Every structure is written in C-alpha cells, then in structure tokens.
Amino acid sequence: MTAVPATGTGIDTDTDLARLRAAVEIARRSRAAGNHPFGAVLTGPDGEILLEAENTVTTERNATGHAETNLVRLSTAAYDADFLRTCTLYTSTEPCAMCSGAIYWGNIGRVVYALGEDELLAMTGANDENPTMALPCREVFRSGQRDLPVVGPVDLPEAREVHTGFWN
C-alpha cells in the first residue's frame, strides 16, 4: 500500500482513504433514497470490502436504522466475533453513542471515520432530524473492557458536502 500524506489522524494508507470515500458514496446513495446522508462499510483484515450499509431511519421508520448499526447487524449475522475483531468499520461520519455501543458489542476491531460528530452538529444545529448527543465515540469505547482503535476525523471535503442543504 502506498502511504498518503500525514493528516494527523492516524490514517496512513490509500486503502483507508478509498474505503472512507466508499462510505461517503453510500451516504450519497442513502440521501438519494430519502434517508439521512450516512454510509458505512466493513472490511476484512486485507482491506477487502465485505459489507456495506446505508442509513434507513426514514424509509424503514426505525430510529435505530443508522448506517453503522445496520452494518453491525449484517456483520454479526455473517461473521464470528474472532473474525470481526480483525475487521475495520469505515463510516462517513463519526458513530453516535448508539452506534458506538453496537460497534463495541459487535466486536468490530477498528473504526475509521471522516466527518466528526462535532462538525456535524455545527452543520445541523438543533435539528429534530439529528438529535446529536455530544458524546464522542472514543469516550464510549474507552468505557468498555477492550481496546478499540479509532482513526478520525479524516478531512474529506465530500464527507461534508453530502450533508450540504440536507438539514435546512
């Protein structure tokens, strides 16, 4: 893998950036389908995309239908816990507290995200469609009993752009 310029966030491979961009494209697809603009992918230890999920809160009328939670449901149904600990979940936006809990209990081994939850809150404000909790995923993971490495936020303009005009 070819190294990319340091961003100060711990991301260091073209594969990581490509997988984040894939998550943003899924967020774009989610928005086009009438849902909130969030997307996530799961990769195996070799970086191959195994699963993907988009947000389904609106179309399925399910408050827990966040992209990451949907991905954890798919992942835990398809793979055992030992394998999932070798996997990475890439997401267009930092996982919320609910999704962070699901990721932790789903035994995902690593998380990489683009847009920070604080950045999203600055974009959405007090929007009823996005009742953000000011609880970074790192804090949720630190409360657990196992180490869960997190990389992010990663500065990808397209991760912000997918939200432009949506929350107005």
Side-chain angles (χ1 to χ4, degrees):
M1 293 181 219
T2 306
V4 297
T7 62
T9 59
I11 195 163
D12 62 359
T13 68
D14 288 337
T15 300
D16 282 342
L17 286 172
R19 299 310 176 251
L20 273 179
R21 287 189 171 110
V24 172
E25 284 309 308
I26 294 164
R28 196 174 314 286
R29 187 174 71 210
S30 178
R31 180 177 177 167
N35 286 297
H36 300 163
F38 302 101
V41 298
L42 181 78
T43 66
D46 60 358
E48 177 186 354
I49 293 178
L50 303 173
L51 297 167
E52 61 182 46
E54 60 188 62
N55 181 288
T56 57
V57 167
T58 303
T59 56
E60 292 185 7
R61 297 184 55 154
N62 181 344
T64 67
H66 293 195
E68 300 90 343
T69 305
N70 289 338
L71 187 63
V72 169
R73 280 189 209 103
L74 293 170
S75 300
T76 57
Y79 302 104
D80 68 33
D82 288 336
F83 179 73
L84 288 171
R85 283 186 199 96
T86 69
C87 295
T88 299
L89 186 148
Y90 293 88
T91 183
S92 59
T93 305
E94 182 176 1
C96 71
M98 175 185 69
C99 291
S100 296
I103 292 164
Y104 177 83
W105 284 308
N107 293 298
I108 307 296
R110 177 175 175 247
V111 172
V112 181
Y113 68 89
L115 187 68
E117 183 80 359
D118 57 337
E119 297 172 274
L120 178 64
L121 180 58
M123 293 176 77
T124 65
N127 189 304
D128 290 342
E129 291 283 317
N130 188 47
T132 300
M133 300 174 96
L135 185 58
C137 69
R138 283 178 174 87
E139 287 186 35
V140 175
F141 299 144
R142 258 195 303 272
S143 298
Q145 297 175 3
R146 68 176 174 90
D147 185 42
L148 204 161
V150 176
V151 176
V154 176
D155 186 23
L156 287 181
E158 55 264 48
R160 285 185 297 284
E161 290 166 6
V162 73
H163 293 276
T164 302
F166 183 84
W167 304 101
N168 300 346

